[in-house]
Amino acid sequence: VQKMTEAELYSVYKGLYVPAHLHPPDSLKYCEDFTFRPDDILIVTFPKSGTTWMQEVVPLIVSEGDLTPVLTVPNWDRVPWLEEHRAILLNLEQRASPRIFATHFHHHMMNESYFKTKPRVLYVMRNPKDVFTSSYHYYGMASYLVNPGTPDEFMEKFLDGKIMFGSWFDHVKSWINAEEKESILYIFYEEMIADLKGSVEKIAKFLGKSLSPDVTEKIADHCVFKNMKQNKMSNFSLVPEEYMDQKKSEFLRKGIAGDWKNLFTEAQEQRFNAVYKDKMKDVTFKFMWD
Ligand code: A3P
């Protein structure tokens, strides 16, 4: 597939690049007008931070370990992105509570209904060096994203927020500074890697679900990387190769913390650290990777 330029592939929405093909104007309008319910569950991420993983974990917590939803419904319909073209088609207004959605929006991009209703939010964060690394491979295989170029070139775009959904730094800062903290659970990709069972328990508790140890175990076992990778409803194998060429790089690629060490040169690490230090200088929030 011939890769195109930013101008051809992306549109600019509220100052950020979004893949035009996935987010036509009517979808963005739908998202702006969307009415939330207080018991909605929103999975919020900067892309490549663990969205798909949570699209597996959260429905299983809600279903109390019944695998039917994750084995029969593709992740993008099971937990639709509100800003994506498919949301309009899914009759979300008719869905039974608790509805589960995903979004890559920054905090200030959320609509009026969000701020009025304050649905429950799971904000998933990942070491930005690994977000970069995962993105680098992903931009190389998805035809609706601009070719990443060399790691050096892509790093400048990443650090400058000239990629889909803008700056990782702005995204994270916007959500950690949210006022409605009592309705947000902050969770790290790295903590899910370190203790998936504990993370399932923590998320379940936040969602007001008490799960037996057996059910917790079952969910964690299903969601561990090597098992989840086999689920064709979640590994994006249903997406035609012209959109995602998984022969180049799989969507469920490595699933580890610290893969950036296999990509970054020392100079790149220093460059990244310097920008991180500057952009995060006023932040007091404790990140797991610091
Ligand atoms: P890698 O490319 O580093 O492997 P998103 O879903 O937000 O696009 O994020 C994708 C990243 O999450 C990919 O990272 C993917 O492999 C990882 N991921 C998805 N499911 C996972 C799981 N069950 N365990 C660990 N990592 C997972």
Side-chain angles (χ1 to χ4, degrees):
V1 177
Q2 184 61 45
K3 290 277 233 150
M4 297 186 287
T5 62
E6 264 99 356
E8 289 164 323
L9 287 175
Y10 299 160
S11 53
V12 177
Y13 181 67
K14 305 202 177 194
L16 312 177
Y17 280 146
V18 294
H21 162 86
L22 293 179
H23 309 284
D26 58 336
S27 298
L28 294 164
K29 175 87 173 79
Y30 172 83
C31 188
E32 281 167 15
D33 295 341
F34 192 77
T35 304
F36 287 98
R37 300 179 195 153
D39 60 0
D40 284 341
I41 303 165
L42 265 164
I43 296 166
V44 185
T45 55
F46 188 82
K48 310 321 283 178
S49 302
T51 327
T52 318
W53 201 357
M54 288 298 257
Q55 286 173 320
E56 200 88 351
V57 169
V58 179
L60 285 173
I61 291 174
V62 169
S63 74
E64 298 177 4
D66 177 0
L67 297 176
T68 313
V70 300
L71 294 182
T72 58
V73 187
N75 62 304
W76 53 80
D77 283 354
R78 186 197 312 146
V79 182
W81 280 269
L82 285 172
E83 63 273 17
E84 245 190 48
H85 63 310
R86 291 195 55 78
I88 291 180
L89 309 172
L90 295 173
N91 233 329
L92 301 178
E93 292 71 21
Q94 308 305 318
R95 275 200 185 178
S97 287
R99 304 179 298 182
I100 316 168
F101 305 123
T103 182
H104 292 315
F105 275 9
H106 295 222
H107 184 250
H108 57 83
M109 294 165 77
M110 300 307 291
N111 72 12
E112 214 180 297
S113 167
Y114 169 84
F115 289 104
K116 211 165 82 191
T117 315
K118 300 188 178 73
R120 296 170 293 177
V121 169
L122 299 159
Y123 187 63
V124 190
M125 287 169 276
R126 185 181 189 185
N127 185 333
K129 289 177 181 160
D130 282 333
V131 174
F132 170 85
T133 303
S134 183
S135 304
Y136 182 73
H137 294 285
Y138 184 53
Y139 279 62
M141 69 85 134
S143 64
Y144 52 85
L145 298 171
V146 174
N147 204 306
T150 65
D152 272 336
E153 287 165 348
F154 190 62
M155 187 169 288
E156 291 316 306
K157 288 187 187 177
F158 184 94
L159 295 174
D160 204 20
K162 296 279 170 16
I163 56 170
M164 69 161 157
F165 290 99
S167 157
W168 178 90
F169 303 97
D170 291 349
H171 199 283
V172 168
K173 284 193 276 188
S174 80
W175 280 97
I176 60 179
N177 289 327
E179 272 172 28
E180 67 286 7
K181 291 231 169 37
E182 60 301 325
S183 59
I184 304 178
L185 180 72
Y186 296 97
I187 184 152
F188 294 103
Y189 178 94
E190 290 76 14
E191 94 186 81
M192 294 172 66
I193 291 282
D195 178 11
L196 187 51
K197 238 178 91 179
S199 302
V200 170
E201 274 166 12
K202 178 173 161 179
I203 298 165
K205 187 163 174 247
F206 173 74
L207 297 177
K209 280 273 183 192
S210 73
L211 305 176
S212 72
D214 282 358
V215 167
T216 308
E217 180 92 46
K218 180 182 177 187
I219 295 173
D221 183 61
H222 174 86
C223 294
V224 84
F225 186 73
K226 68 171 186 347
N227 292 341
M228 194 179 134
K229 201 178 152 100
Q230 307 305 319
N231 183 1
K232 67 178 190 308
M233 290 296 157
S234 307
N235 62 15
F236 287 82
S237 58
L238 298 175
V239 175
E241 198 176 296
E242 60 172 306
Y243 296 117
M244 285 186 188
D245 186 352
Q246 299 213 45
K247 292 206 291 292
K248 282 191 187 150
S249 177
E250 289 176 293
F251 192 100
L252 295 183
R253 192 183 58 90
K254 278 203 182 169
I256 59 169
D259 191 40
W260 65 271
K261 291 175 188 144
N262 297 313
L263 181 68
F264 282 39
T265 62
E266 216 167 295
Q268 285 162 350
E269 185 185 349
Q270 278 168 19
R271 168 81 183 131
F272 202 102
N273 287 347
V275 175
Y276 183 94
K277 204 171 154 208
D278 177 52
K279 300 226 189 239
M280 304 301 273
K281 62 178 179 295
D282 298 325
V283 175
T284 53
F285 195 94
K286 279 308 296 162
F287 298 103
M288 212 170 149
W289 51 82
D290 277 338

